[in-house]
Structures are given as structure tokens and as C-alpha cells.
Amino acid sequence: MAMTDVQQAPAHHHKPSGWSRWLMATNHKDIGSLYLWFSFIMFLSGGVMALCIRAELFRPGLQFFAPELFNQFTTLHGLVMVFGAIMPAFTGLANWMLPLMIGAPDMAFARMNNWSFWLLPPAAALLMLSFLVPGGAAAAGWTLYAPLSTQMGIGMDMTIFAIHIMGVSSVMGSINIIVTILNLRAPGMDLMKMPMFAWASLITAFLIIAVMPVLAGVVTMVLTDRHFGTHFFNAAGGGDPILYQHIFWFFGHPEVYIMALPAFGIISQVIPTFSRKPLFGYTSMVYATSSIGVLSFIVWAHHMFVTGLPATVQLFFMYATMLIAVPTGVKVFNWIATMWEGAMTFETPMLFAIGFILLFTIGGLSGVTLSVAALDIQLHGTYYVVAHFHYVLVAGALFSLFSAMYYWFPKMTGRMYNERLGKFHFWWSMVWFNVTFFPMHFLGLAGMPRRIPDYALQFTEFNSIASVGAFCFGLGQLIFLYNILTSLKNGKPAPALPWEGADTLEWKIPTPAPYHSFVEAPQVEADHNGSIVSMHGDKHH
Amino acid sequence: MESTRQEQTHYYVPAPSRWPMVGAVALFCLGLGAAFAVNGQSPGSLLLGVGALILIGMLFGWFGDVIRESLAGEYHGKEDSSFRWGMGWFIFSEIMFFAAFFGALFYVRVIAVPTLGDMDYKLLYPDFTASWPLSTGPGITSTYQAMEAWGLPMVNTLILLTSGVTVTIAHWGLLRGRQSQLVGGLVATVLLGTIFLGLQLTEYHHALHSLNLTLASGAYGMTFYLLTGFHGMHVLLGTIMLAVITVRAARGHFGPTRHFAFEAVAWYWHFVDVVWLLLFFFVYWL
Ligand SMILES: [Cu+2]
């Protein structure tokens, strides 16, 4: 009733121009684009470090880098990819697509949204600058295990404070995502109707809020151990280095799902679209995602089987970990059942989605292998683990991101990407990814330790193959960049509905998405997975 | 303001703002400055100071904008429930931060220290006795005494519990439109918060100088100082927020149906209160 005054309020503004559009942004699409570009730059930076690692490992012996520098590369490669590339990319996608998919005018806290983003460049700067300080960057591995991390130089302190800042950023970003989903859904977009991408983002955001403060806490303990005389991770004062691992992995395991659940969400949108069928088992998908979220809090010690935990504790964490394979299996089953007898076409997003299912399942299965305590004691700290989590994070998280970028590129920009180049990018990535990481399974089974710049002669062939694969894979990502850049300028204008089978809310509005979409909340009638039966009353400008 | 959530079709999206950018610069200065400062290098404290000043300026500017928007009537039911959800999840993130430190406390008390007292470690640390407060161990170089629960900490417990009551009295005043009860209750809460902080400082002084209890006093000292220290910082923040709210209440910013900021601070204050009770139980008493 009292809404008339609001309609005159200057709730929306003309599209700002120049630098201030980006520096002072409050528009979810602008902020989403900032996130996505930032994450791609970080992806390339982390990728360069990966190539340095692979160059060093091309042949046995020390080739290019001192062991200290090699350790800094492995550490920063992990930190940059996890906190700089993958997490911001998912937050950026959520920023861009969530309001469009659930019919919200913007993110719930538009100003705070901008702060969440603009905290990332300072944090990244702290990480990168740490290469230049005496002693170099942190070299304890991305897990920053004590007592390695309680030694080392100022680079470790810069890393600690960078983690604090990134933690603030991602907690604020997650509060924004949760509140947007809980509070700003269009009438008719029920929780049990909304797209799986929204569900995945919701549960991911919850995980982030629950565990990033724990990571902040544990690196704070590292900081006080380093400089203020505490003994958290030092037995001389009653502490314990194993305590670090417990707290870190209480964060670290949910972190795995923070990087995987949004990928599940994307795949659950892409597969139905290109199969021209509704998602199979939507409700079970929601419950599977939720139970993965809950279970992820009680499995952390599967990273610690070699620390001498009591056998009963090992058994508990082993079985709890295996339990996660159940909801994950439900998801894989549902995706395949969605494709079953669907009228499938294989555009680039679908190719990446199918590649995801195939390779993520391999990564998931090697994860089940590693969950067996007796096996893990053999494989811990070997290249088998490296192979496992790259199948999950590169072929999992990264492939899903590519799928999402190709899928929503027309909606974001109003232009089509080059399909031929896109398909080439997929096949190129698919082949070289496997050339890079599949041999690592064998290296790990044969006992090659990770995070060491040199190796025994018998590991040479597989390492050389992996290095060739890595360089080709890395180069291939420039195809993606080229495709995006040229399509932004010269791509064919996108039709309103570039994908025949797409029926979620973002496809019901003009293409490219108007700068201010859903200025007025639409009334929608939705079916499972956010597919829209009817919509009226939307307004954009 | 009376509009229910269903009726509201518009949502307030703020205009472009410079404050997030300013805040990012502030945190960069703070992060880099802190890294230098903990290593005793010269630009450290300067950068920290600059960063802190920028951050304070940013908070004034940003919250000033929010208050102006609120007074201009830009916020309605939807915005209000966004703020409520937001504050709730923020407090949840704070709970998890404290959980990390409580987790460390439980771990050292239940696992790390008893394990070090086992036969397995007798060769390594022959004189070690697994006691709490832990007083032996090669890292604990000087003797200290533990903090007594029933002195100042007990007084502080009563103070914080009382402040929880006074803030609720203020809330009742607000709901019934009794301005003097509202402001009086808030002033009392701010005073109690300030007294708590003063007593906490006295306690630290006593601990450092009479008990010789420092951060370096092994597992007891580190958990004592970090848990009570982070709690103290939260009390400080809560007191500052309460003071701001008191000024705003005195200026008549709040009404019986329109006072999210008041409630947010009250929630925060109760959160700080509950953390203290856990601290009193697990750090001081047990
Ligand atoms: Cu794990």
C-alpha cells in the first residue's frame, strides 16, 4: 500500500560510465564481470606457476629453479588457484546469474557486494608481492602446515594477512548470496522449485560462512606462534602440530565442496538444456547437495591418516568419507538419467558438461580409493593425490566454469561465441588434461612424492609426458581467451533464446540481459529446477 | 512501512558508492602494514596507522550513507529482512571464528597435553607433568600463576549479564515508545560495557605483572589470552556500536516498528555475552 513513494524513489540509476562504473559498482552484472575477469587473470597467473613446476619436472635433476623457489611455486599455485581463480569465478557467476535466475533486482547488499570484490585485488597483490620480499613467498604448500609455516620469512605473514582479507571477502560475498536467495526470490519461485545452481550456491555460501572464519582463526594462531611466543603448534609449550591439521582440514574439506557444489549446480542447468528434458530427480538432487554439505563437516581427518590417529578415529573418518560417495553417486546418476533418451545436441557447454561428468567421476572414484585408510597410508603425499584433486578441480570445477561461460555468454553479452573454436577448446583441453594428469596416478602408485623438485630416474617418462601435456593444456586456454575477446567485439548477435531447451528465468528476459533487470519483481509460475511455466509483470531498463 | 513483504515489488539498490573502494585500500594498507609490523620493519606501524584511519573514515562514510538512506525512508519490509538475515549470518561467521579457538583449547586440554604426559614422551620430556594449567615443558621458561575465576572474572560475568538485562530494558522502552527508558537503558549498557573493558584491562595488568602470565606461558597462557583477547575486541566493537546506537536513539532515529540497527546491535551484544559465559566456564573455571 505504501509502495507508491518507493516507485518514485531513485532506486535505479543511469548506467555509469568510465572508471567509476567499475570502481564504485553496485550493479550485480558489473560486479560479476569484475569477478570473472579477475578470476581469469588469477587463473593465468596460477597457470604460469604450474608451468614453471612442470618445466622443472620435465627431466630429473634440478633444471631451472632452486628447490626453495619450486616450493614457493607449488604453494602459491595452490593458493592462487583456490582463492584467486576458482572461488571468485563461482562467486562472479552467482553474482551475474542468480538475480536473473530467481527474479531479483540485484544482490541483496549491492554496496557490500562491491567491497567483496575489491578486497580480492589487494589480497592477490599481497600474495604476488610476497615473491619479492626477503625469503620469498610462502613455501609450506597451500595447506601451510605447521611447523613449516611457523618458520619462514615475511612472505608467510603476507600470505596470512592475504588469507584474512580473502576470508572477509568471501564471507561477505556468501552472506550476499544467501540473503539474495532467501529474501529476493520472485513470487512463485519457491525454494523447492528454484534452479539447482541457486541451491548449490546457497549451500556453498553456507559452507563458506561456516569454515572461512575457522581458516582465519588457524592462520591467526600461526601468526601468534610466529611472532608472539604462543605454542599452539609447538609441543614444547603443550601445543601440537597435528592441531594445525585438524583445524585446517575442518576448513579444508568443506572447501573442497565449496569448489565442487557450484560446479554441480552449473552441470544441473546445462545437461537438461541440451538434453531437452527436465532434470531427472530434482528433489533428490536438492537433498543430495544438502547432505554433501552436512557430511563435509565430519570427514576432515581423511587428510590425516598418516598422523597416527587412533584406529577407531581412522575408521570413523574412513566410513564417513565413503558415505559422501552416496549423494555424489545420486547426482551422477541423475545427470546420466537426464541425458537418457534426451534429444541431445553437443554444443560447447554440453561438451564441457559431459567432460565434467566423465572426469569428475574418475576424480571422485580415486577419492573413494584414498578414503580407505590402509590405502591412503600408502598413497598419502604422492602424485596419486595430485592426480585425484586435479581431476576434481580442473576437470571438475574448471570445466564446469567453461561450460557455464559458454552457456551464459550469449545472455551476458548479446553475442554468440565462436562455436568451432569453443569445440576445439573443449577437445584440446580434454585431451591434454588427461595427458597431463592421468600419468600422475601411475607416478603416485609407484611412490613418487609430491612437492619435490627432483625425482628418481624411473619416473622420467611419465613426468615428461605430463609436462608436455601441461604446456599444451595451458596454451589451449589462450584459445578460450581469444574466443571471448573476439566474440565480445565481433560475435554474431545472439538470438533471444540461443539454446532451444533452456527454460529457466534468465532466458525469459531480453538478450543481452538489460542493465537493470527485474526492477519490479515478476510473478512467475515455476516448475522443478527453475523452469518457468509462465511469467508476467517483469520490468527492466 | 506497513507494507508486507508480499506487496513490495521494488527493492532499494544503492547508487554507485566510493566506500567499498576506500575500504579495499584500507585493508591493503592494514594487511601490508601488519606484515611489516610483526617483523619489526619500519613502514609497518605507519601503514597500519594510515590503514586504520582510512578504515575509520570509510566506516563513518558508509554507515552515514546507510543511516541517511534509512531516515529518507528508502528501506521497507524487504530491505529490513535482508538486513536481519545479513546480521544473523554475520554473527554465525563470528561464532565459527571463536569455535576455532575453543576447538584449540579443547584439543590441547583433552588430547595434546595428556598425550605429552604419556609414557611415549618420557624420554623426550622427563620432567613433564600433564597438568592444567600446564606449568612444565621446555617452551615454558618462567613460572606463572593461573587466573583465579572467582575474582574479577566473576565480577565481569555479572557485569555482562546485567548489561544483557539493561539492553533488553532499552528494547522494551523502544517497543512501548518510552524514549527515556530506551536511552537510559542504552546508556547503562554502554557504561557496563566500558566498565567490563576497564576491568579486563586491570585483569591483564594483574596477569602480566603479578602472575607473570603471558602469551608465551605455554598452552594455558596462549588460549587464555587469545580467547579473552578476541572476546575483549568484540566487546570493544559492541560497545562502540552501542554508543552509536545510543546517539541515534537520543536523536529519535528509531520507532517501535522501525529499529533494525538497534536490534542488530542487541543481537551482537547477546552473542558477545554468550561467548563470555563459555569463556568463564571453560577458560577461567574448569
Ligand atoms: Cu577432504
Side-chain angles (χ1 to χ4, degrees), chain B residues 149-164:
Chain B
W150 302 106
L152 274 186
M154 187 61 211
V155 177
N156 262 346
T157 307
L158 294 176
I159 287 174
L160 269 196
L161 286 177
T162 316
S163 76

Side-chain angles (χ1 to χ4, degrees), chain A residues 253 256 302-303:
Chain A
H253 191 84
V256 172
H302 62 212
H303 297 269

Side-chain angles (χ1 to χ4, degrees), chain A residues 136-261:
Chain A
W142 85 279
T143 50
L144 304 176
Y145 273 9
L148 275 177
S149 55
T150 52
Q151 303 162 45
M152 300 192 178
I154 185 174
M156 183 59 74
D157 299 307
M158 293 168 79
T159 305
I160 289 171
F161 291 116
I163 288 174
H164 281 140
I165 296 176
M166 290 185 292
V168 173
S169 158
S170 54
V171 167
M172 289 194 303
S174 301
I175 290 177
N176 229 328
I177 287 173
I178 292 191
V179 176
T180 305
I181 294 175
L182 292 183
N183 196 32
L184 293 187
R185 274 171 293 120
M189 181 61 74
D190 300 343
L191 275 179
M192 288 311 286
K193 294 280 165 66
M194 70 180 185
M196 275 315 296
F197 181 66
W199 264 110
S201 299
L202 178 70
I203 293 167
T204 304
F206 166 73
L207 293 181
I208 290 180
I209 300 179
V211 299
M212 282 307 281
V214 174
L215 176 67
V218 79
V219 296
T220 305
M221 293 174 209
V222 170
L223 185 78
T224 59
D225 266 17
R226 289 167 57 80
H227 297 290
F228 301 102
T230 59
H231 296 91
F232 281 102
F233 311 125
N234 183 349
D240 188 347
I242 302 300
L243 169 61
Y244 178 88
Q245 297 188 25
H246 278 294
I247 309 180
F248 178 85
W249 286 113
F250 183 82
F251 147 81
H253 191 84
E255 174 67 22
V256 172
Y257 292 99
I258 287 165
M259 294 186 281
L261 291 184

Side-chain angles (χ1 to χ4, degrees), chain A residues 1-3 6-7 9 11-13 16 23-24 26 105-106 108-112 114-115 118-119 122 125-126 154 157-158 161 165 171 175 178-179 182-184 206 209-210 213-214 216-217 220-221 224 227-232 235-240 242-243 246-247 250 519-521, chain B residues 1 3 5 7-11 13-18 20-21 23-24 27-28 31-32 34-36 38-39 41 58 62 65-66 69 74-76 78 81-83 85-86 89-90 92-93 96-97 100-101 104 107-108 112-113 116 125 134 137-140 215-216 218-219 222 226 230:
Chain A
M1 297 301 112
M3 276 307 103
V6 193
Q7 277 156 13
H12 290 279
H13 319 275
L23 294 180
M24 297 167 37
T26 47
D106 204 294
F109 306 106
R111 258 183 307 233
M112 189 172 88
N114 196 31
W115 201 25
W118 279 108
L119 285 179
L126 279 176
I154 185 174
D157 299 307
M158 293 168 79
F161 291 116
I165 296 176
V171 167
I175 290 177
I178 292 191
V179 176
L182 292 183
N183 196 32
L184 293 187
F206 166 73
I209 300 179
V214 174
T220 305
M221 293 174 209
T224 59
H227 297 290
F228 301 102
T230 59
H231 296 91
F232 281 102
D240 188 347
I242 302 300
L243 169 61
H246 278 294
I247 309 180
F250 183 82
V519 174
E520 210 168 88
Chain B
M1 264 119 282
S3 70
R5 286 206 243 150
E7 290 163 355
Q8 186 179 344
T9 55
H10 280 69
Y11 186 81
V13 179
S17 164
R18 76 180 86 104
M21 179 45 74
L27 257 65
F28 180 66
L32 193 63
F36 279 117
V38 291
N39 287 283
Q41 287 177 359
M58 183 277 275
W62 192 327
D65 280 355
V66 174
E69 284 160 13
E74 307 282 16
Y75 300 153
H76 301 83
K78 276 261 184 203
S81 48
S82 283
F83 287 141
W85 279 116
W89 286 105
F90 168 65
F92 175 59
S93 78
M96 294 309 294
F97 181 76
F101 289 91
Y107 186 89
V108 290
V113 170
L116 285 172
Y125 297 154
L134 180 67
I140 303 171
L215 271 171
M222 72 193 186
L226 281 191
F230 276 118

Side-chain angles (χ1 to χ4, degrees), chain A residues 28-29 96-97 100 410-414 506 509-517 540:
Chain A
H28 72 98
K29 303 183 183 76
W96 239 108
M97 301 318 301
L100 301 184
K411 179 52 67 182
M412 292 174 173
T413 63
E506 76 273 27
I509 63 171
T511 298
Y515 193 63
H516 295 295
S517 41
H540 325 278

Side-chain angles (χ1 to χ4, degrees), chain A residues 401-422:
Chain A
L401 281 163
F402 286 139
S403 174
M405 285 314 297
Y406 287 114
Y407 182 56
W408 282 310
F409 185 83
K411 179 52 67 182
M412 292 174 173
T413 63
R415 292 182 183 278
M416 295 303 288
Y417 62 88
N418 183 324
E419 185 68 53
R420 244 175 33 149
L421 271 184

